[in-house]
Amino acid sequence: MHRVTFDPNICHSWSMHSAVNKSVITIKETESALAAARLMKETETGCLLVVDGDGKLTGILTGRDLVLNILAPNEKAEELRVKQVMTRQPMTARVDQVSLRELAKTLGRGRVRRLPVVDAANRPVGIITLEDMLVHSADVLHSCAAAVSPYLTVARLRSASIHRD
């Protein structure tokens, strides 16, 4: 297991940086599927980013992958390697080339909930999830509402007094 900490200096989009998970859990593709499942339980995460010996992203392992590839066919998790059950070549986002709007489109097109964020060398630097984007969007809307709230109150009062005359 390796915890990757997101470096805000490599992200050119403030809004993307604020929505990307700051750390991800990685696992080597040669580890056992059982070790991966235990790591997911221990870290209370729904997915692991799978890396090769050089730390480059080779796949993503989700709880769904474990169910469909191990539990459903009744396989022995201790005998299977992560690379045998992971989703290969997952859709990714490059940290220096993506806006939140494009990320949302990518998540929708791919019908996925999680998108690894990689650097130019295809090393994971973060992950963005559908939930992250929803929370970020709610935060932005809340900030906008707070910024315009005084104006709206005055405008509503003016509008109300105009209609009364």
Side-chain angles (χ1 to χ4, degrees):
M1 170 184 88
H2 184 258
R3 188 173 296 271
V4 178
T5 302
F6 185 79
D7 179 1
N9 297 320
I10 62 174
C11 187
H12 302 292
S13 168
W14 174 85
S15 58
M16 180 180 164
H17 165 65
S18 61
V20 171
N21 283 347
K22 307 285 186 278
S23 66
V24 294
I25 307 299
T26 62
I27 191 165
K28 292 196 176 180
E29 59 187 4
T30 54
E31 291 289 328
S32 75
L34 180 60
R38 287 180 175 158
L39 180 58
M40 289 171 78
K41 180 182 180 192
E42 174 187 318
T43 58
E44 297 180 357
T45 187
C47 74
L48 302 172
L49 298 185
V50 183
V51 296
D52 62 15
D54 295 327
K56 293 184 179 181
L57 184 74
T58 60
I60 187 170
L61 182 69
T62 65
R64 185 175 191 271
D65 291 327
L66 295 175
V67 168
L68 294 178
N69 297 317
I70 298 173
L71 292 177
N74 201 24
E75 297 287 340
K76 294 182 179 176
E78 65 274 5
E79 295 175 7
L80 292 172
R81 300 294 103 190
V82 168
K83 66 194 248 177
Q84 294 174 276
V85 295
M86 70 182 186
T87 298
R88 295 178 183 279
Q89 300 175 339
M91 297 171 61
T92 60
R94 280 274 305 270
V95 72
D96 57 348
Q97 297 179 334
V98 185
S99 69
L100 282 176
R101 186 177 187 156
E102 288 303 312
L103 286 173
K105 288 180 184 177
T106 301
L107 287 168
R109 276 194 305 269
R111 295 184 178 186
V112 294
R113 292 178 39 214
R114 303 169 181 101
L115 200 60
V117 179
V118 296
D119 64 15
N122 202 40
R123 289 187 175 83
V125 295
I127 190 166
I128 190 157
T129 67
L130 182 57
E131 293 84 358
D132 294 328
M133 293 193 72
L134 290 171
V135 167
H136 177 73
S137 297
D139 287 346
V140 169
L141 287 174
H142 180 47
S143 296
C144 289
V148 299
S149 178
Y151 169 76
L152 290 176
T153 303
V154 170
R156 285 185 185 145
L157 291 172
R158 286 185 184 152
S159 174
S161 65
I162 290 171
H163 293 305
R164 287 185 195 159
D165 294 336

